[in-house]
Amino acid sequence: MSRPLHDVPAADLARALPSALDGTGPALALGTAPIPDRTVPDDVAVVVRTSGSTGEPRDVMLTAAALLTSARASADRLGGTGTWLLALPTTHIAGLQVLVRSRLAGTTPVPLPPGPFRAGGFVAAAQQLAGPSYCSLVPTQLVRLLDDPAATAALASFAAVLVGGAGLPDGLLARTAAAGVRAVTTYGATETGGGAVYDGRPLDGVETALTADGRIMLTGPVLARGYLDRPDLDAQVLPVRAGRRWFVTSDLGRTTADGRLEVLGRADDVLVSGGTKIAPLAVERVLADCPGVSEALVVGVSDPHWGQAVTALVVPAGDPPTLADLRAHVTDRLGAPAAPRHLVLLDALPLLGSGKPDRRSATALAARHSGPTDTTEVSRGDSG
């Protein structure tokens, strides 16, 4: 059995989603190229295009059962349902799940005002919420809100603030907690219907495992049905093992002593500088705690001596840090090979539409602004 697949503009998604979930209407294609006269299996409710952060974008088929199971498991972990503030694009899984959770709760989400993300717009939207309230953010948004006193107070009024899409430094978590904000770190993907691991622990029904080379795998009823027209990817990324389907991610992880899943970064982001493997996420977490740093992104720039030169793109907080400051800070915690050899100061980090860091654009930007590795030149770039 099959059902028609219709393209739907983001503005019409909230209206069209209920019939896609209950099977009375067509399946919906979000963020994809136009797909005329297409059908999908009848249990598929939505086809979501991935952000492309792991390479070529993929069209993921999500069933109503997977989306609703994820929403129920999220509510159980958070301690109940409520009203959601919609701060992320609904063409991506995190924004879509705000609509699904709102549908499950019988509430109407409150969107941010149109235009760029601003603290003032967040405060205005938060003032429209009633009862227990929730929102889902990416770390860059959280940093900007914590820099604004009124927005920080608004954040503290939420029953929980989900934060995902990128690594969250310990210093940012501590700052959030000190502000009285209940932040819940989430890990997941479009293929898992959104966040499937909260604060390092899988949602009910979800299980995690690691491959022999340390890649994170997830299984459970939240998994996607597969990829549209890509059975090759189904076999590679969503394989069946011992009678169960697993999602094999591109992320490296480990299990901590208390049983939590710790994400170490993407396998294909690992840099090799001077023969040493360096995980950018680990360096970013350290840089985020350095004085003068608001946000940081680490990439590798091709270098004839080092292979890849570790390069830090930094949004300053107050007086900008120097490259020497950053090198000393990282060397003290991770060792000299991980210390950045270039520093590029930015007004804002380059981001994908989903709010995740755009590492491809960041690498190109860093290559344009980085000087010779035997200098400590600091460049001022832009995020374009």
Side-chain angles (χ1 to χ4, degrees):
M1 297 289 292
S2 62
R3 67 194 295 193
L5 176 65
H6 290 181
D7 300 311
V8 59
D12 296 336
L13 177 57
R15 175 189 54 79
L17 184 61
S19 61
L21 292 173
D22 67 20
T24 61
L28 307 176
L30 309 181
T32 68
I35 306 176
D37 303 321
R38 286 301 313 274
T39 61
V40 291
D42 60 0
D43 60 344
V44 173
V46 180
V47 175
V48 182
R49 175 155 290 189
T50 62
S51 64
S53 61
T54 59
E56 181 183 356
R58 304 164 176 180
D59 295 327
V60 181
M61 297 188 292
L62 292 164
T63 66
L67 289 168
L68 291 168
T69 297
S70 174
R72 293 188 186 99
S74 175
D76 289 344
R77 184 62 59 87
L78 295 177
T81 60
T83 306
W84 285 79
L85 187 151
L86 178 59
L88 296 169
T90 55
T91 51
H92 296 281
I93 189 61
L96 171 63
Q97 266 294 3
V98 168
L99 298 184
V100 177
R101 294 171 189 142
S102 298
R103 171 73 176 170
L104 183 67
T107 58
T108 301
V110 175
L112 290 180
F117 182 83
R118 296 285 187 268
F122 182 90
V123 172
Q127 290 172 344
Q128 302 177 47
L129 301 170
S133 55
Y134 303 89
C135 66
S136 184
L137 303 172
V138 294
T140 292
Q141 292 173 317
L142 179 61
V143 169
R144 294 175 185 176
L145 295 176
L146 290 174
D147 287 341
D148 183 276
T152 300
L155 278 174
S157 72
F158 284 81
V161 176
L162 304 186
V163 187
L168 199 61
D170 290 342
L172 180 55
L173 269 177
R175 182 184 175 194
T176 304
V181 179
R182 181 194 174 192
V184 178
T185 61
T186 69
Y187 172 74
T190 306
E191 289 87 345
T192 60
V197 179
Y198 283 17
D199 288 334
R201 302 193 183 280
L203 295 180
D204 291 346
V206 176
E207 293 182 36
T208 65
L210 300 176
T211 65
D213 62 354
R215 291 178 184 244
I216 298 169
M217 299 195 302
L218 299 147
T219 190
V222 299
L223 255 59
R225 197 183 200 281
Y227 296 101
L228 185 66
D229 296 332
R230 292 297 303 272
D232 57 320
L233 283 178
D234 289 348
Q236 175 186 348
V237 184
L238 292 164
V240 177
R241 300 184 179 184
R244 305 178 68 185
R245 294 175 63 248
W246 290 82
F247 170 48
V248 182
T249 76
S250 298
D251 298 312
L252 299 174
R254 72 181 185 94
T255 303
T256 63
D258 61 354
R260 291 181 299 106
L261 175 69
E262 181 179 356
V263 181
L264 303 177
R266 282 168 28 101
D268 51 2
D269 283 342
V270 172
L271 310 178
V272 180
S273 184
T276 300
K277 291 184 178 180
I278 298 161
L281 181 58
V283 183
E284 290 163 8
R285 287 171 171 163
V286 170
L287 289 176
D289 293 333
C290 184
V293 174
S294 175
E295 300 174 68
L297 188 62
V298 171
V299 298
V301 172
S302 180
D303 182 88
H305 302 292
W306 299 98
Q308 289 178 294
V310 179
T311 303
L313 294 89
V314 167
V315 177
D319 293 334
T322 67
L323 181 59
D325 293 335
L326 300 187
R327 285 186 57 81
H329 192 75
V330 174
T331 298
D332 182 56
R333 290 157 178 79
L334 298 178
R341 296 184 175 278
H342 298 299
L343 169 61
V344 178
L345 299 175
L346 301 172
D347 295 324
L349 297 179
L351 302 175
L352 297 167
S354 61
K356 296 180 181 180
D358 186 344
R359 292 187 182 275
R360 289 183 179 180
S361 294
T363 301
L365 190 156
R368 292 198 303 270
H369 290 281
S370 298
T373 59
D374 59 354
T375 74
T376 56
E377 177 181 352
V378 176
S379 301
R380 187 90 192 191
D382 56 45
S383 59

